[in-house]
Amino acid sequence: MSALLAEKLADENEWLETATDQAIEACGGDMRAAREAALIAMTMMESELSDVYASVSRGFARGIGESRDG
């Protein structure tokens, strides 16, 4: 593994550990509540993303008709 990749993985791991600690602290030290909160947040984000996908036309998503101003 390259040194750059190892450093990036270490940074991501540190960020994840910090975020996990903050979530548990926000839930009063209850790991189960922190996990439940994370699952609820993920479900809400998935729902919002589905709404975005549904509202974007397929032509626009493919780049057709982006500019009609010659």
Side-chain angles (χ1 to χ4, degrees), residues 1-15:
M1 177 182 324
S2 73
L4 185 59
L5 178 58
E7 183 179 334
K8 182 176 179 176
L9 290 174
D11 288 344
E12 288 178 7
N13 187 49
E14 183 178 332
W15 177 86

Side-chain angles (χ1 to χ4, degrees), residues 34-51:
R35 183 182 64 199
E36 184 176 324
L39 290 171
I40 290 169
M42 186 176 65
T43 301
M44 290 174 62
M45 286 188 280
E46 287 176 347
S47 177
E48 289 177 16
L49 188 57
S50 292
D51 292 345

Side-chain angles (χ1 to χ4, degrees), residues 20-30 34:
T20 301
D21 291 342
Q22 289 173 348
I24 293 168
E25 184 179 334
C27 292
D30 186 348

